[in-house]
């Protein structure tokens, strides 16, 4: 090989090396929540757990695109038409910062960052990173739900839109699903940190409660199942509110029809909640009534622990919110280890009260005395 | 990022060396030629949310090629071009909009084989993409705007097929080439395919004749 040829080959090899030196983690500009102004603003953030930025893969999650599946509730089956493939993050890099090149890339890196923050949040609360195993995120998944009307029996199909959810029918389906936008005019759900922490909390709930049951909860009577389902939604909302400090985190993405989920609202537990839990089965049951009550009660108690009166506006401090969230996680862990065949929300509240120091427990009992009056007598920790 | 640029330089060295050899060969008639024209067609850019789906878009721009080796059947040279396209796919919600404009500059080493009026060529080099993004987020009465521009370079490879229609078919005193050209750009882990039609006029000057 002559000298000029060797030099040219060396140049090509060196240039190939230059291309292959992207490290772990990245600084990215995304739209993210600012609690001080209760709004989303563009900020440069560090995404720390990425191992492959081109494919948005890392310890927090791996984004998959092009997924197509059918959730057939009539047969209790998941049918994959197409599992999907890793995504391809498009960005321009300037002064070490990645700027998303298109809307989907902005949404996807925001999703990854939000899941990473959720993972870190739960690690601070006491759930080690990696305990949940691999959790993929199916971005813009085409999900068709097939269900039978509980009253007429008529089978119908709905193509999912404007939603994000956690699904864990089996190990293969386990992950987060971000559905296409159709009518949402505000902040996309995947960019809403509250929504992502909410969904991540479902994965934690699965790990701490459902996975510890003999058959994943399938053998429970429908009433206990409905109460646990409601607790799942309630805890997910609590975690989102405690992480963001935004009791109405949904409002950035969804319109006023979701105001019933505002944790700062005064929600009283009504006898109809129990009637509904005892009457309806499976998809016909609405878990958000009791779930919203649980999150609003815990949020109001946290406000009072921080010295805020019921009539005073204000958000409890971050340290206190994290402490309370850690107690909620601990209570959930304790609840999941018990026989839940006669579960009611009172059992969870009792486990939570026992994990709070007496002063804080007194505030929670005070709130529950007013809002959970019909079952207050079941709360051994408050009596 | 620099791989494509180095590859272009490397291939250019090779073609220049090839040109030297051709120029020194006996019985070799050689000319220099300059082709300029426009190209337009479609670009198929890999979707970021699914890398096996491609978003189509209209592209248009000028190109200029310089052939420093131009024998009866073979041409070697360099080719430069510009393409513009804008993309507004899945661009968000009413309150969050994002638009991206792309300006692509191509630098290629090209080799073309000609037989009678027909020509087929291959090219390799670098594509330099200039981005321009506008993002607008509106929440209540507050509006946030972000504008960014950036550069990304990648490997560019292409195939072309066409014919000299001017002198051969229309009896003009200038060569007019009509070509179909497809190229593949690989940048930042993403692929992009472009299919263009080129219309070019060639200016040729005799460089050297040896007998």
């Amino acid at each position: 090989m002559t000298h000029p040829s060797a030099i040219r080959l060396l140049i090509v090899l060196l240039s190939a090396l230059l291309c292959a030196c992207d490290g772990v983690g990245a600084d990215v500009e995304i739209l993210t929540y600012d609690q001080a102004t209760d709004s989303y603003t563009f900020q440069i953030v560090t995404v720390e757990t990425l191992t492959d930025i081109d494919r948005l893969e890392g310890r927090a999650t791996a984004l998959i695109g092009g997924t197509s599946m059918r959730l057939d509730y009539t047969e209790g089956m998941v049918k994959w038409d197409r599992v999907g493939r890793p995504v391809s993050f498009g960005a321009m890099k300037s002064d070490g910062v990645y700027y998303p090149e298109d809307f989907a890339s902005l949404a996807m890196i925001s999703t990854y960052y939000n899941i990473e923050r959720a993972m870190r949040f739960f690690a601070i609360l006491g759930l080690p990173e990696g305990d949940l195993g691999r959790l993929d995120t199916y971005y813009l998944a085409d999900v068709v739900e097939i269900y039978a009307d509980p009253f007429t029996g008529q089978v119908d199909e709905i193509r999912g839109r404007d939603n994000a959810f956690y699904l864990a029918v089996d190990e293969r389906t386990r992950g987060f699903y971000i559905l296409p936008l159709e009518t949402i005019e505000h902040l996309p759900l995947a960019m809403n940190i509250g929504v992502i922490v909410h969904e991540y909390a479902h994965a934690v709930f699965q790990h701490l409660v459902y996975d510890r049951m003999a058959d994943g909860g399938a053998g429970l009577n429908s009433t206990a199942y409905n109460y646990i389902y409601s607790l799942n939604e309630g805890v997910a909302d609590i975690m989102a509110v405690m992480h963001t400090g935004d009791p109405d985190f949904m409002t950035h993405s969804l319109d006023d029809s979701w105001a019933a989920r505002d944790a700062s609202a005064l929600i009283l537990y009504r006898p109809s909640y129990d009637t509904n839990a005892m009457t309806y089965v499976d998809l016909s049951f609405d878990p958000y009534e009791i779930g919203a009550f649980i999150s609003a009660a815990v949020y109001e108690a946290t406000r009072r622990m921080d010295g805020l009166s019921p009539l005073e506006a204000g958000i409890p401090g971050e340290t206190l919110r994290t402490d309370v969230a850690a107690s909620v996680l601990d209570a959930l862990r304790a609840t999941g280890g018990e026989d839940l065949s006669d579960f009611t929300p009172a059992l969870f509240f009792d486990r939570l009260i026992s994990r709070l120091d007496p002063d804080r427990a007194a505030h929670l009992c005070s709130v529950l005395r007013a809002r959970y009056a019909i079952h207050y007598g079941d709360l051994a920790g408050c009596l | 990022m620099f791989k494509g640029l180095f590859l272009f330089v490397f291939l250019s060295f090779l073609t220049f060396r090839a040109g030297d050899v051709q120029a020194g060969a006996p019985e070799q008639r050689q000319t220099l030629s300059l082709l300029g024209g426009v190209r337009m067609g479609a670009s198929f850019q890999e979707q970021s949310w699914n890398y096996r789906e491609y978003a189509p878009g209209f592209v248009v721009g000028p190109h200029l090629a310089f052939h420093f080796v131009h024998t009866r059947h073979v041409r070697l040279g360099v080719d430069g071009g510009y393409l513009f396209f804008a993309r507004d796919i899945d661009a968000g919600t009413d309150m969050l909009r994002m638009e991206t404009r792309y300006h692509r500059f191509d630098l290629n080493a090209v080799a073309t084989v000609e037989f009678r009026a027909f020509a087929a060529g291959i090219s390799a080099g670098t594509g330099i993409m200039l981005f321009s993004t506008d993002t607008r987020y509106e929440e209540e009465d507050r509006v946030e705007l972000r504008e960014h521009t950036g550069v990304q370079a990648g490997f560019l490879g292409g195939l072309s097929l066409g014919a000299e229609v001017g002198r051969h078919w229309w009896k003009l005193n200038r060569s007019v080439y009509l070509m179909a050209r497809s190229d593949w750009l690989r940048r930042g882990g993403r692929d992009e395919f472009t299919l263009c039609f080129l219309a070019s006029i060639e200016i040729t000057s005799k460089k050297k004749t040896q007998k």
Side-chain angles (χ1 to χ4, degrees):
Chain A
M1 186 181 286
T2 62
H3 280 300
S5 301
I7 289 167
R8 287 169 198 163
L9 185 60
L10 192 61
I11 289 170
V12 171
L13 289 173
L14 279 173
S15 63
L17 277 175
L18 281 171
C19 298
C21 60
D22 275 334
V24 174
D27 291 336
V28 186
E29 188 187 67
I30 61 168
L31 192 61
T32 190
Y33 183 64
D34 176 24
Q35 193 196 320
T37 57
D38 184 27
S39 60
Y40 277 78
T41 59
F42 287 99
Q43 297 175 43
I44 294 171
V45 300
T46 301
V47 188
E48 295 172 346
T49 59
L50 276 171
T51 52
D52 183 346
I53 190 164
D54 289 339
R55 295 283 176 247
L56 293 184
E57 290 178 3
R59 292 205 315 278
T61 189
L63 272 88
I64 307 292
T67 301
S68 178
M69 68 191 305
R70 290 167 173 267
L71 302 179
D72 190 340
Y73 295 113
T74 61
E75 295 180 19
M77 289 177 65
V78 175
K79 297 171 184 171
W80 292 87
D81 295 327
R82 202 168 53 238
V83 176
R85 308 177 187 87
V87 300
S88 174
F89 177 57
M92 58 190 98
K93 194 174 183 182
S94 175
D95 294 332
V97 178
Y98 288 91
Y99 296 93
E101 170 188 325
D102 52 47
F103 176 77
S105 294
L106 173 65
M108 292 188 305
I109 189 67
S110 303
T111 306
Y112 187 96
Y113 175 69
N114 289 337
I115 291 174
E116 177 184 283
R117 285 181 69 191
M119 182 180 77
R120 289 277 159 88
F121 178 61
F122 279 96
I124 290 168
L125 302 186
L127 185 80
E129 287 182 18
D131 259 23
L132 298 184
R134 182 185 169 96
L135 282 168
D136 289 339
T137 301
Y138 298 92
Y139 185 76
L140 294 191
D142 181 32
V143 179
V144 175
E145 294 179 76
I146 303 167
Y147 68 95
D149 188 296
F151 301 107
T152 64
Q154 184 181 343
V155 176
D156 209 348
E157 290 188 5
I158 291 180
R159 175 160 268 113
R161 290 286 185 269
D162 299 327
N163 202 358
F165 59 85
Y166 168 76
L167 183 69
V169 176
D170 51 37
E171 197 54 38
R172 192 179 173 208
T173 57
R174 214 166 141 267
F176 304 107
Y177 294 74
I178 311 291
L179 305 189
L181 293 169
E182 194 168 275
T183 60
I184 287 181
E185 297 174 349
H186 308 278
L187 183 74
L189 293 171
M191 296 185 186
N192 187 320
I193 176 68
V195 170
I196 296 297
V197 173
H198 174 102
E199 298 308 329
Y200 199 92
H202 284 318
V204 173
F205 195 96
Q206 171 88 28
H207 176 64
L208 295 180
V209 179
Y210 289 124
D211 286 351
R212 293 163 75 188
M213 295 181 188
D215 47 7
L220 284 173
N221 66 72
S222 63
T223 304
Y225 188 88
N226 288 342
Y227 281 133
I228 293 170
Y229 186 9
S230 300
L231 179 66
N232 191 353
E233 293 299 337
V235 166
D237 277 356
I238 290 171
M239 293 305 184
V241 171
M242 294 303 175
H243 177 70
T244 59
D246 180 5
D248 197 14
F249 61 90
M250 291 276 195
T251 197
H252 301 286
S253 296
L254 301 170
D255 60 25
D256 293 340
S257 63
W258 290 81
R261 300 271 294 276
D262 182 356
S264 64
L266 171 60
I267 301 175
L268 303 177
Y269 195 92
R270 300 174 186 193
S272 63
Y273 294 177
D274 288 330
T275 310
N276 291 343
M278 291 175 205
T279 307
Y280 293 107
V281 293
D282 299 333
L283 293 176
S284 58
F285 175 68
D286 174 10
Y288 298 106
E289 288 180 332
I290 298 175
F293 157 76
I294 293 170
S295 67
V298 173
Y299 179 67
E300 178 56 23
T302 309
R303 277 174 26 87
R304 294 189 194 179
M305 291 172 203
D306 210 20
L308 296 163
S309 74
L311 299 176
E312 186 181 358
I315 294 164
E318 186 177 354
T319 306
L320 175 61
R321 295 199 313 264
T322 305
D323 282 354
V324 172
S327 300
V328 169
L329 187 73
D330 204 17
L332 197 64
R333 190 178 280 117
T335 305
E338 297 185 28
D339 174 13
L340 300 178
S341 52
D342 294 319
F343 178 81
T344 68
L347 176 69
F348 169 74
F349 281 126
D350 247 348
R351 298 297 169 268
L352 177 57
I353 289 162
S354 68
R355 275 152 184 84
L356 296 169
D357 68 43
D359 286 347
R360 290 178 178 178
H363 284 297
L364 179 57
C365 287
S366 170
V367 171
L368 293 175
R369 187 183 301 119
R371 298 188 178 192
Y372 197 43
I374 57 175
H375 292 297
Y376 189 72
D378 299 335
L379 301 174
C382 291
L383 301 177
Chain B
M1 175 175 173
F2 299 107
K3 186 160 60 177
L5 199 58
F6 276 112
L7 194 59
F8 167 73
V9 172
F10 180 66
L11 289 169
S12 296
F13 284 168
L14 291 181
T15 52
F16 272 114
R17 281 182 62 85
D20 294 344
V21 171
Q22 293 287 343
E27 301 295 331
Q28 186 67 58
R29 180 174 154 272
Q30 186 171 318
T31 56
L32 296 174
S33 61
L34 194 65
L35 280 90
V38 294
R39 53 180 172 164
M40 64 175 67
S43 166
F44 300 88
Q45 192 179 56
E46 195 172 66
Q47 292 276 29
S48 50
W49 55 272
N50 183 0
Y51 76 90
R52 283 293 175 264
E53 285 194 14
Y54 295 86
F58 175 74
V59 293
V60 65
H63 88 106
L64 191 66
F66 174 57
H67 295 153
F68 45 81
V69 173
H70 182 172
T71 65
R72 183 178 177 83
H73 293 299
V74 176
R75 291 169 180 237
L76 298 172
V78 292
D79 178 295
Y82 165 80
L83 284 174
F84 170 79
F85 53 107
R87 185 131 303 150
D88 184 19
I89 292 175
D90 288 328
T93 64
D94 284 358
M95 291 171 64
L96 175 62
R97 305 294 306 171
M98 186 169 181
E99 289 184 6
T100 311
R101 289 177 295 279
Y102 296 92
H103 306 268
R104 193 178 106 184
F105 296 90
D106 298 346
L107 277 172
N108 282 308
V110 295
T112 306
V113 177
E114 288 183 322
F115 183 73
R116 297 184 185 276
F118 299 99
I122 58 168
S123 60
T126 188
I128 300 168
M129 189 74 91
L130 264 65
F131 308 91
S132 167
T133 63
D134 288 342
T135 313
R136 182 180 193 277
Y137 180 64
E138 179 184 350
E139 189 170 331
E140 295 177 352
D141 296 332
R142 187 179 54 86
V143 176
E144 281 213 44
L145 297 171
R146 279 289 187 280
E147 292 178 11
H148 292 298
T149 53
V151 182
Q152 199 172 51
F155 171 78
L156 185 66
L159 295 170
S160 57
L161 200 63
E164 182 190 18
V165 296
R167 222 187 301 260
H168 273 82
W169 296 345
W170 296 338
K171 311 300 179 195
L172 300 176
N173 61 1
R174 282 273 178 265
S175 289
V176 175
Y177 279 87
L178 293 180
M179 309 279 285
R181 178 164 158 177
S182 64
D183 59 44
W184 163 55
L185 175 66
R186 175 82 177 169
R187 60 173 177 91
R190 303 173 72 185
D191 293 317
E192 183 175 318
F193 299 94
T194 308
L195 184 61
C196 282
F197 293 98
L198 287 77
S200 315
I201 295 176
E202 183 183 52
I203 301 168
T204 306
S205 70
K206 187 181 287 186
K207 180 185 175 188
K208 190 175 185 180
T209 304
Q210 292 184 340
K211 289 191 177 179

